Amino acid sequence: MEIRSLSDADVAAVLALNEAAVDATSPLDEDSLAARRAMVAEALVCVVEGQVAAFALADAPGAAYRSINYRWHAERFADFLYLDRIVVGAEFRRRGIASALYDALEKVAAEHGRMVCEVYSRPPNTVSLAFHSGRGYAEIGHLEQPSGQQVVMLEKQL
């Protein structure tokens, strides 16, 4: 397993991973991924046996990101690393890949004092909620999404 920066050669695989998980994230196309890559603090992939198995995007304060979830955190904290999305391919789950990506991102987040993110709570993403709880993330609020879904806002102080 190798964690490294997302490269141009990874774009097609990242878009395919995101599309397979779009119900838990939000849509990405080549243009929107290029725009996100230009503004994120971290864009990582996990490669397993030569295949992109997962990716993660994270933003620091001051990003031009217009996400309501990012803005919620930016209104409350002067410094943070915001995990916008993490996607692990279905065939690669339960192998510690998400934990490895979180480990890498939390090292970066330590200089900001906290990592923040959100998880769907209505309907609940019970697997993700349990994962975050096990890693020490604490609930700090809730936010209604334009879709009518709700997310729980999470923070891990580092």
Side-chain angles (χ1 to χ4, degrees), residues 9 15 17-18 48 71 92 122 125 137-138 141 143 150 155:
L15 292 174
L17 285 167
N18 195 82
V48 176
R71 287 194 318 258
F92 294 101
R122 190 181 68 222
N125 184 337
Y137 284 78
L143 182 61
Q150 187 178 72
E155 171 194 34

Side-chain angles (χ1 to χ4, degrees), residues 34-112:
R36 290 294 296 126
R37 286 177 67 196
M39 71 178 75
V40 297
E42 292 292 327
L44 301 177
V45 294
C46 177
V47 178
V48 176
E49 298 171 3
Q51 186 176 349
V52 175
F55 77 96
L57 303 175
D59 296 275
Y65 195 30
R66 300 183 92 50
S67 157
I68 64 169
N69 300 322
Y70 172 80
R71 287 194 318 258
W72 189 94
H73 292 293
E75 290 167 0
R76 285 157 179 81
F77 301 114
D79 206 0
F80 58 91
L81 186 70
Y82 168 70
L83 178 59
D84 175 53
R85 72 185 68 213
I86 181 170
V87 176
V88 178
E91 65 272 28
F92 294 101
R93 292 186 186 142
R94 310 300 300 165
R95 294 193 198 180
I97 291 170
S99 292
L101 281 167
Y102 270 76
D103 290 345
L105 290 168
E106 287 172 1
K107 284 180 185 173
V108 174
E111 68 188 58
H112 298 281

